[in-house]
Amino acid sequence: MNKHLQIRDISTVEGQLTTVQENDLPQQRLDLKFMPWKPYTEEQKQSFACLLDEVNVLNIPVPKSKAEEEDLVNRFLTGMRKLFTTENNFTCLPMLQTSMDNCVQCNSCSSACHLFEMSGENEMYRPNYRSEIFRRIYKQYIKKEPFAKWRYGDLGLNWKTVARLGELAYRCNLCRRCAQTCPIGVDNGLIAREIRKVFSQELGISPKELHEKGTVLQSRAGSSTGMTSQVVKDNVEFIDEDYSEITGIEVHTPFDVKGADILLLHNAGEIIAWPENVAAFSVIFQEAGLSWTLSSKCAGYDGVNYGVFYDDAQLARIALMHMQAAKELGVKKIVIGECGHAHKALTVIADRVIPYELQTPRESCYVTLRDIVMSGRLKLNPARNDFPVTLHDPCNIVRLMGIVSPQREILRKIAPKFREMPCHGVDNYCCGGGSGFAIMSRNNIEEWRGNITGRKKMWQIGEAFKDCLGPETKKYICAPCSNCKGQIRELLAHNDLYEKNSFAYGGLVELIVNCMDNVNPGFIKWGEDE
Amino acid sequence: MTTIFYLLAYFAFAAFFALACCKIRGYLAASPLHVRWEIYPVPHEGKKAAYGGSFMENSDWWTKVRHVEHFYDILGIFKEVLLLEATFKHNHTLWFRTYPFHFGLYMLMGGSIILFFTVLAGLLGASPLWNPQEMEGFVTFIHNVLNSVVLIGALAIFGGGIALICRRMNDEGLAVYSSREHFLNIGVFVLFAFLTLMTWACNADYVILAATFMHNLLTLNFVPQESNLFALSMLLGFFVLLWIPLSNMQHLLLKYFMYHDIRWNDVPTQASVTNQNLIPDLLKKQVTWAAPHIAGDGTPKSWLDVAVNVPNKTEK
Ligand code: SF4
Ligand code: SF4
């Protein structure tokens, strides 16, 4: 299999296009284990287009006849045409159009991409590879530019091109680090998302974790976890009970308080996977004396909006439900919990999609927490956080919203041994779970996250703690984003880094509660304490 | 033949401006209001821009007056255009090749603008740049400067262009993405620079040739060019002018929008009544996406219908 791909290979190569193997991966300070790819079964190969690499996100069915092959291509082209109309794509057309017309193919964006670097510079991961394929299809088949074949090279278009391009759109974390470096202003992250939109919005093809089990389930049941309103209330009640005992503070999480100042919007995944995060928020807000509430209205208790990763219609629907929940309660603002994509979806993207009169102002929890910590309303004892701490910056909150300082102000106040990772703030790298992958594990996606997408984050963590690696010193990776935490949890577990390096990971609120004087000591747990 | 040459010149200028306007209008018409797609740092955040911060770092930001320091946006785009800052930071090897090329282009473009205005001033009574016998004072100074500008500019384009072509051919990564059009684009500039250098070397005074041509253009005086080399370089120049808006070199025209209207456009809806009014209109646009969860059933729908009617209650 070829690692030095040409553009036309996307259409011409038979079988699997490329691969990344253990010896391609750059070595680093932390001992990371290669996760062998599970080979495709014969049944998989016959049923689904397994044509790009070892990973299969979309499970595009293999066409059974020439007519089905042509149908796939034609429907894809129809979708592409719609993508370039104001009616169907007023949300993103200017960005897309300029990204199609202005790339000078300088490759300045290549080194910005953690996937390109950590795959051993496999051409498939060069940010411009998928963009250029899409661009050539656009110029040759949609715009039909004069002499396009001569000018750019003839890109034969067949069902394999379409299937591979669909998969390629899911070999990107949508972190937009590449876009930040482009001298022209071209956005390869945007192009990947636009391709995802064609597949979802026209062909009805999208990862089931994002669509059926994601936005569809959330619209129906209220949460992509499947939890209904009553289940959430019951679970939070249990959390309150448990953590009243653990913290020594009577915790009460309010629901549906009309006229409260704040609607706190958690990622509902926290309730199931990280109850300590939910409890920590409740402790802090309660002890700071805020007027706040959670909502039990459908989707009002789950800030997740996976539409932001693949589909504008689903994005708008979920954002509208969030806004309606806030309006119904009449709160002054929505404070978004520790979830990066929820921040961006509701604060930035929904801002020009949801009519203004239906909107309620949104604030990042980092900002609210900074104000609480700095106000002196909590009695804090930083000595309780006397272990090395480093901070992961979620792309959606930092590079894409410019919220950089509040979380650092908090850490400088409560964590005496706080140290930055290399490439932090707006220069950060994605955790590797970005754009929905953190919740996917089938078809070698988990292996892919371990081998390639999460590797740069592990490099950053290793570098941040290089003076205290090993099991002797307890260390805390502060990752104030639900999906990032999920990704980091798996990277640590798979590589035995809890034991080998005494790592713990968690959010910002846990670190605050850990040093609250009136809370029982030891809120944060390391492996052996749990 | 001479008349055709002059007509071609008018046509090239007119077509350039018409195509440039079309491109910009096309951009503006693509969407009256796209979603916010900013990426930080955003220079107009002033002090916060140093670390990439935004107004969203302030609590209750919507209750506070927004401080937008446009000066830093202008400074930012100037640094990018004049110094190719991003390429310098992220692609050092290429910068050493592309910077001379762009620097040369800026010199020739700047030189042409100075030439135009000096000839115009001459027509309005100032010393005539096109007439060496009558030229005097400050215009003589401009004449001498322009001759140096042309020489340095053409040399820079020629050297930078050759270096860029070599890099595109020899760098494995760049070679994959370098199409015939890339080589055509750079090649045309290299040839133009070469002809300009030859004209400069083989004639007594390049600027007099150029000023005479400009004077003739402005006074509709269609007389043949003194130098065939100059005529040839101008013909190529007319082609380049036409070609810029039709190729990826249009970034010359659109970079402003890609920075100011996309990368740095962080205007919250709360702060713009115009945007508040635009959103409901945009939501009335008809959607034809064929997936079952959007408009797959074939009934006409607006974006508003799509957002408020969730078919998922029954969908698997
Ligand atoms: S996207 Fe930008 S940086 Fe990347 S190749 Fe194109 S112009 Fe260069
Ligand atoms: S958006 Fe991020 S992951 Fe995707 S190509 Fe760009 S840098 Fe790579």
Side-chain angles (χ1 to χ4, degrees), chain A residues 374-480:
Chain A
M374 295 302 161
S375 70
R377 274 180 276 171
L378 305 179
K379 211 158 174 312
L380 300 170
N381 177 7
R384 285 193 180 181
N385 285 338
D386 193 27
F387 39 81
V389 173
T390 194
L391 174 69
H392 161 67
D393 286 301
C395 306
N396 282 310
I397 302 179
V398 177
R399 182 166 30 256
L400 306 182
M401 285 178 71
I403 300 176
V404 186
S405 173
Q407 58 274 45
R408 290 177 161 76
E409 290 172 51
I410 296 172
L411 286 175
R412 280 194 281 269
K413 174 127 180 157
I414 65 167
K417 292 186 178 167
F418 166 59
R419 73 270 309 282
E420 293 280 11
M421 293 182 185
C423 304
H424 55 268
V426 290
D427 296 329
N428 77 314
Y429 285 98
C430 172
C431 62
S435 86
F437 294 114
I439 53 161
M440 300 183 205
S441 51
R442 68 194 152 83
N443 293 355
N444 279 330
I445 299 174
E446 192 179 358
E447 285 76 1
W448 181 62
R449 286 194 279 120
N451 292 337
I452 300 174
T453 69
R455 217 172 172 81
K456 193 68 186 181
K457 184 51 62 188
M458 285 291 104
W459 169 79
Q460 285 181 284
I461 292 172
E463 293 302 308
F465 291 128
K466 64 176 180 242
D467 59 327
C468 54
L469 286 174
E472 303 77 23
T473 316
K474 288 178 174 177
K475 297 169 277 288
Y476 187 77
I477 303 161
C478 179

Side-chain angles (χ1 to χ4, degrees), chain B residues 6 10 211-223:
Chain B
Y6 279 92
Y10 294 122
T212 308
F213 174 53
M214 184 65 83
H215 177 247
N216 290 341
L217 269 180
L218 292 176
T219 54
L220 307 179
N221 180 25
F222 299 165
V223 291

Side-chain angles (χ1 to χ4, degrees), chain A residues 338-340 366 391-394 397 407 478-482 485 506-508:
Chain A
E338 294 188 355
C339 177
Y366 300 176
L391 174 69
H392 161 67
D393 286 301
I397 302 179
Q407 58 274 45
C478 179
C481 165
S482 199
K485 271 193 307 200
L508 199 52

Side-chain angles (χ1 to χ4, degrees), chain B residues 7-310:
Chain B
L7 290 179
L8 275 177
Y10 294 122
F11 172 73
F13 279 106
F16 172 79
F17 284 111
L19 286 169
C21 288
C22 280
K23 282 283 161 194
I24 292 168
R25 269 187 52 190
Y27 173 82
L28 296 173
S31 176
L33 183 68
H34 57 76
V35 291
R36 276 170 62 189
W37 204 248
E38 70 252 34
I39 191 158
Y40 290 86
V42 170
H44 62 233
E45 286 289 353
K47 277 189 195 141
K48 281 180 185 285
Y51 63 84
S54 78
F55 63 94
M56 287 173 281
E57 289 187 330
N58 303 329
S59 45
D60 298 337
W61 55 262
W62 52 93
T63 61
K64 296 178 180 141
V65 182
R66 278 189 85 219
H67 295 288
V68 180
E69 307 205 27
H70 289 298
F71 169 74
Y72 290 103
D73 279 349
I74 295 165
L75 194 69
I77 197 83
F78 262 99
K79 270 185 358 197
E80 179 49 42
V81 171
L82 293 181
L83 304 174
L84 306 185
E85 197 184 19
T87 315
F88 183 75
K89 274 194 201 153
H90 306 291
N91 200 344
H92 231 71
T93 340
L94 198 70
W95 187 86
F96 283 106
R97 291 157 174 87
T98 199
Y99 191 70
F101 183 78
H102 280 82
F103 179 73
L105 286 179
Y106 298 153
M107 289 200 89
L108 291 198
M109 284 194 288
S112 306
I113 292 167
I114 295 171
L115 182 88
F116 170 79
F117 282 107
T118 315
V119 171
L120 198 65
L123 285 171
L124 297 173
S127 164
L129 182 63
W130 61 89
N131 186 343
Q133 278 79 42
E134 292 176 27
M135 197 193 311
E136 58 184 22
F138 187 59
V139 174
T140 309
F141 171 73
I142 290 180
H143 162 265
N144 295 339
V145 169
L146 282 181
N147 258 327
S148 319
V149 163
V150 173
L151 179 65
I152 298 168
L155 273 172
I157 294 175
F158 186 74
I162 299 270
L164 278 175
I165 290 175
C166 293
R167 178 89 187 144
R168 285 208 170 269
M169 282 164 58
N170 298 323
D171 179 87
E172 222 181 296
L174 276 178
V176 173
Y177 301 88
S178 300
S179 61
R180 287 199 187 101
E181 181 167 319
H182 281 104
F183 293 110
L184 174 76
N185 291 350
I186 307 171
V188 166
F189 276 102
V190 169
L191 187 60
F192 175 71
F194 176 73
L195 289 174
T196 305
L197 285 172
M198 293 301 290
T199 314
W200 197 95
C202 301
N203 287 278
D205 194 320
Y206 184 95
V207 172
I208 299 294
L209 289 175
T212 308
F213 174 53
M214 184 65 83
H215 177 247
N216 290 341
L217 269 180
L218 292 176
T219 54
L220 307 179
N221 180 25
F222 299 165
V223 291
Q225 302 307 306
E226 258 179 55
S227 157
N228 288 339
L229 270 172
F230 179 76
L232 205 59
S233 70
M234 282 301 110
L235 276 176
L236 202 59
F238 303 157
F239 170 74
V240 167
L241 215 48
L242 262 175
W243 189 235
I244 286 175
L246 295 172
S247 67
N248 66 20
M249 291 183 285
Q250 63 179 273
H251 67 261
L252 191 84
L253 306 165
L254 286 166
K255 192 159 172 169
Y256 171 84
F257 297 96
M258 294 169 85
Y259 273 69
H260 285 264
D261 188 47
I262 297 175
R263 199 185 261 202
W264 298 342
N265 181 345
D266 58 352
V267 180
T269 300
Q270 164 270 340
S272 164
V273 177
T274 316
N275 290 357
Q276 289 170 19
N277 294 332
L278 276 171
I279 296 172
D281 286 343
L282 287 167
L283 293 175
K284 286 185 198 137
K285 292 206 176 291
Q286 294 295 302
V287 188
T288 57
W289 290 109
H293 66 283
I294 308 183
D297 58 3
T299 53
K301 284 190 178 79
S302 68
W303 275 104
L304 191 63
D305 299 329
V306 170
V308 295
N309 297 313
V310 184

Side-chain angles (χ1 to χ4, degrees), chain A residues 112-115 125 127 130 172-179 188-189:
Chain A
C113 178
H114 56 296
L115 304 183
Y125 288 106
R130 101 178 50 79
C172 168
N173 284 122
L174 306 187
C175 71
R176 296 178 62 207
R177 200 172 189 272
C178 51
N188 293 306

Side-chain angles (χ1 to χ4, degrees), chain A residues 99 102-110 126-128 131-132 135 178-179 181-188 191, chain B residues 87 90-91 94 168 174 177 251 263:
Chain A
S99 288
N102 292 280
C103 174
V104 292
Q105 318 290 348
C106 64
N107 282 351
S108 302
C109 50
S110 307
R126 200 187 283 280
N128 194 27
S131 304
E132 186 55 14
R135 191 176 287 119
C178 51
T181 63
C182 175
I184 308 289
V186 172
D187 193 332
N188 293 306
I191 294 173
Chain B
T87 315
H90 306 291
N91 200 344
L94 198 70
R168 285 208 170 269
L174 276 178
Y177 301 88
H251 67 261
R263 199 185 261 202

